[in-house]
Amino acid sequence: GSYVVVGRVSEDGKTSVVRQPVEVVNADVEVALNFVVPAEVSGVVRVEGTPPRSLENMRVNLQPETPAFLGQSSAEVKPDGSFLIPDVMPDVYEITVGSHPGAYVKSIRFGDAEVQDGRIDLTQGSGPVTVLLATDVGEVEGSVKKSNGDPAVRVRITLIAYGKHLGRSDLSRFAFTDEQGKFHLRNVAPGEYKIFAWEDVPIGAPQDPEFRKPFDKQAVAVKMEPNGHQTALELTAISVKASQRPAQ
């Protein structure tokens, strides 16, 4: 199977780390471990528009692409917007910013380059990170019916980013319909989306592009403008039987 060897050595107050993928097939495996000094990830969070709340309530998180028992690293954002995450192992990380209702991550820069997918590669060295939040979020309202035309009550609504933001799970939004089959999604960032309505669906499945593919024609496309408000969207609920079948 596939494994990751993770190690840490401290000597004379200095720490070295290693993270090495290993494939085990049908024989013993010899692995050369190259220990390196962990990186420091420093940067700043800026807000375009009026901050929805104090930056002191925000945290910058690094989620490693390679699973390991060390989990994610994070740091609190200081009042001036700066942050510092020490002792980060070399890997590819997804950057997320928590506790910012009313705002979204508009862009991330790593060094001199803009990061399109929210991921930074620390195996090639570190650099300053600049996270730009924006507050020009909008709202989406609509209703869902069953295949027989009745209101679809308590069905799950998922709004998934497409276009240039495809793969940005942090821009996804979720809700349930009410007793009249109506829904209301808030804090939607400007961009292109598709909205799906599920009678029931496995947790996390709508985030998987392969799972969504058979249901694309049953989604409604939405283009959200800055500070926009989409209303009167009409969806038909995807049945339990359909959503639980394996994607083809």
Side-chain angles (χ1 to χ4, degrees):
S2 299
Y3 300 86
V4 178
V5 178
V6 179
R8 181 185 297 270
V9 173
S10 296
E11 187 176 1
D12 296 331
K14 297 181 179 180
T15 299
S16 297
V17 295
V18 66
R19 174 179 291 185
Q20 177 67 46
V22 177
E23 291 290 333
V24 178
V25 186
N26 58 356
D28 293 342
V29 178
E30 291 187 6
V31 180
L33 300 180
N34 181 28
F35 282 80
V36 297
V37 177
E40 282 190 346
V41 177
S42 62
V44 63
V45 176
R46 305 191 187 282
V47 182
E48 186 178 85
T50 303
R53 59 172 58 185
S54 171
L55 291 179
E56 291 181 276
N57 295 322
M58 297 184 185
R59 296 190 71 85
V60 176
N61 308 296
L62 298 179
Q63 180 63 47
E65 192 171 77
T66 305
F69 66 87
L70 293 178
Q72 68 180 25
S73 301
S74 67
E76 188 173 276
V77 178
K78 297 179 181 179
D80 63 357
S82 65
F83 63 89
L84 175 65
I85 306 177
D87 297 332
V88 181
M89 300 186 71
D91 201 346
V92 177
Y93 292 87
E94 180 181 6
I95 299 179
T96 60
V97 181
S99 300
H100 55 284
Y104 65 97
V105 176
K106 184 173 183 178
S107 68
I108 297 174
R109 296 191 69 86
F110 181 46
D112 297 327
E114 184 168 344
V115 178
Q116 296 296 333
D117 58 0
R119 289 173 170 79
I120 60 174
D121 187 355
L122 296 182
T123 64
Q124 305 300 316
S126 187
V129 174
T130 302
V131 179
L132 178 64
L133 302 182
T135 59
D136 54 347
V137 294
E139 301 182 5
V140 179
E141 296 183 68
S143 60
V144 184
K145 294 182 179 181
K146 297 180 181 180
S147 57
N148 63 4
D150 292 339
V153 178
R154 297 298 296 172
V155 300
R156 186 173 181 84
I157 306 298
T158 57
L159 178 140
I160 306 294
Y162 278 73
K164 68 177 183 179
H165 293 318
L166 183 64
R168 284 278 304 273
S169 60
D170 60 305
L171 298 182
S172 298
R173 296 293 180 263
F174 311 94
F176 286 94
T177 57
D178 62 16
E179 297 300 319
Q180 287 76 46
K182 297 180 180 180
F183 67 89
H184 192 172
L185 296 165
R186 297 175 174 83
N187 298 322
V188 180
E192 298 176 26
Y193 299 89
K194 287 186 179 180
I195 302 180
F196 299 78
W198 316 88
E199 287 186 358
D200 193 15
V201 67
I203 295 176
Q207 298 291 340
D208 182 354
E210 290 302 314
F211 179 88
R212 293 195 310 266
K213 189 180 297 184
F215 311 111
D216 267 352
K217 292 183 179 179
Q218 294 170 265
V220 171
V222 173
K223 184 175 182 180
M224 177 59 62
E225 300 294 340
N227 301 302
H229 194 165
Q230 295 274 0
T231 61
L233 297 183
E234 296 185 357
L235 290 83
T236 299
I238 300 168
S239 69
V240 173
K241 183 177 180 180
S243 62
Q244 291 182 345
R245 74 188 180 193
Q248 301 296 319

